[in-house]
Amino acid sequence: MSILSGIRVLDLSHYIAGPFCSQILADHGADVIKIERPEGEVGRTSAPMDDDISLYFASENRNKRGIAIDLKSEKGKEIFTRLVKTADVLVTNYGANVPEKLGFDYDAISAVNPRISMVHITGFGQTGPYKNYGAYDGVIQSMSGLAELTGHPDGPPTYVGFFIADHIAGMQAALGTMFALFHRERTGHGRFVDISMLDGLVSLLGFSVAEAKLHGITSQRWGKTDRFELSKSFPTTDGYVFISSYLLASEKQWKDLTELIGKNEWGQSESPLYTKEGRFKRRETIEEAISQWTSEQTKLEAFQHLQQRGIASSPVNKLDEVFNDPQIKHREMIQTLKMGDKGGVPVPGAAIKIQDNPIAEFTPPPNLGEHSAEILTELGFTDQEIEDFQTNKIIRVEKDTLAVHRN
């Protein structure tokens, strides 16, 4: 049995942060019901597209069931109320005022079901002067300081190559969900969880906050080196290899490194580069010698030679190399969703692995309204009522226009 078996999550979210949160819960066995408008959520039809499949939607909505309801109609609200009565958590990442307008704010749903928790993800949170402002990933990377901390010292602010603010918010929302469920186990009552994308990235700044406030160190772009300039990427015949802490290597690691790069004399105790202090004083000489050696290796060759000597390193992988990396394959971190006639769509796997609790077998994202009839039957509606709902466009049950079909 999966850890979250028996937990029902209502997913009223779109794009990335909210769907990613509920997908994590679905991977671990929660019954996640994705609630969409009869015309579908915005992310279902957004770029990037592969023919008529939204890759946004495919990558964030596996292992869920889907129902399409007109929440603005009276009958739609009745259906939603029944869903709330059966649920443990509601996840949304609509704007700060949208739940109130549509009648599913926390006060409203907890009045129906005191045991339910609500996880609400927004750009800036539920309080503060920016709470009603719009936000996308790049906005949050900019405001959090991440863009200004990234890139080369003499270059412009640089943005992370994937939607890090959205995904961090989704992960923190999943963690907040578990806190709320644990609280309910103790008290019998749910909780409101307020997740801010901006808070999420600011919380990762670590000691950079103290450095800036106490010592005025605000310009911290490091280019090809790491945060402490102790590690660096070096050129190879086919890209780069990243070598960690070569200036702080242990005595054995330093001797092994000097042998690899053909500088055995540097590993002798009488060498001025033998001590860590000596290495720091002569780092340019050392880095030039390392570069000469790596330039004669492929990045995988250099990586393996270094790791076999106990020197932490890694190839600087392109995405196609990530997919084919044997460690990533072994950990099943790239999965393929079967999408009917469209074949397979590759997606990231589940990062959290718990002993004796296997990840749910990946199922493709639901078609628009794919499980509407099934879920309504579970809620006690009759076949005639379901047919009437469909006739009056209160729900949608047909396969969606994206042609994303289950086998």
Side-chain angles (χ1 to χ4, degrees), residues 53-110:
I53 296 173
S54 166
L55 301 185
Y56 262 130
F57 196 82
S59 64
E60 311 290 351
N61 287 287
R62 63 176 176 252
N63 293 342
K64 303 176 185 181
R65 296 195 290 165
I67 185 170
I69 317 171
D70 177 7
L71 291 179
K72 295 181 180 179
S73 68
E74 288 304 313
K75 285 295 183 181
K77 291 175 181 177
E78 178 187 342
I79 295 169
F80 179 72
T81 298
R82 286 205 200 182
L83 277 170
V84 168
K85 289 179 179 178
T86 70
D88 302 285
V89 182
L90 185 150
V91 176
T92 186
N93 61 331
Y94 282 97
N97 296 321
V98 173
E100 287 83 354
K101 291 178 180 178
L102 291 178
F104 65 89
D105 59 294
Y106 184 60
D107 287 343
I109 65 172
S110 60

Side-chain angles (χ1 to χ4, degrees), residues 1-224:
M1 179 183 294
S2 298
I3 283 181
L4 293 180
S5 293
I7 296 296
R8 173 167 285 182
V9 178
L10 306 182
D11 178 357
L12 263 167
S13 64
H14 59 301
Y15 286 128
I16 297 174
F20 185 54
C21 166
S22 60
Q23 180 173 270
I24 293 171
L25 305 176
D27 285 346
H28 291 276
D31 176 22
V32 176
I33 297 176
K34 187 163 191 66
I35 302 172
E36 300 182 70
R37 303 171 299 175
E39 61 270 29
E41 72 155 69
V42 179
R44 183 179 279 274
T45 56
S46 294
M49 301 288 288
D50 180 11
D51 295 330
D52 52 3
I53 296 173
S54 166
L55 301 185
Y56 262 130
F57 196 82
S59 64
E60 311 290 351
N61 287 287
R62 63 176 176 252
N63 293 342
K64 303 176 185 181
R65 296 195 290 165
I67 185 170
I69 317 171
D70 177 7
L71 291 179
K72 295 181 180 179
S73 68
E74 288 304 313
K75 285 295 183 181
K77 291 175 181 177
E78 178 187 342
I79 295 169
F80 179 72
T81 298
R82 286 205 200 182
L83 277 170
V84 168
K85 289 179 179 178
T86 70
D88 302 285
V89 182
L90 185 150
V91 176
T92 186
N93 61 331
Y94 282 97
N97 296 321
V98 173
E100 287 83 354
K101 291 178 180 178
L102 291 178
F104 65 89
D105 59 294
Y106 184 60
D107 287 343
I109 65 172
S110 60
V112 173
N113 177 4
R115 291 175 58 81
I116 197 170
S117 293
M118 179 172 177
V119 180
H120 194 175
I121 308 165
T122 58
F124 301 106
Q126 299 297 308
T127 60
Y130 302 161
K131 68 177 184 178
N132 293 320
Y133 286 8
Y136 289 93
D137 200 278
V139 171
I140 301 302
Q141 287 194 48
S142 299
M143 191 171 290
S144 68
L146 176 60
E148 190 61 47
L149 289 171
T150 305
H152 290 272
D154 57 350
T158 303
Y159 295 86
V160 176
F162 61 92
F163 296 117
I164 187 170
D166 279 305
H167 285 98
I168 289 292
M171 285 191 288
Q172 293 182 330
L175 181 61
T177 300
M178 302 313 298
F179 289 159
L181 289 172
F182 187 68
H183 171 82
R184 190 190 66 180
E185 289 303 303
R186 288 178 163 179
T187 67
H189 294 280
R191 273 289 182 264
F192 179 79
V193 181
D194 175 9
I195 299 292
S196 155
M197 291 169 64
L198 181 61
D199 291 355
L201 286 195
V202 171
S203 74
L204 304 183
L205 290 175
F207 59 84
S208 293
V209 172
E211 282 191 329
K213 289 184 72 67
L214 298 179
H215 304 297
I217 303 173
T218 58
S219 180
Q220 300 178 11
R221 291 191 214 134
W222 303 100
K224 292 193 297 181

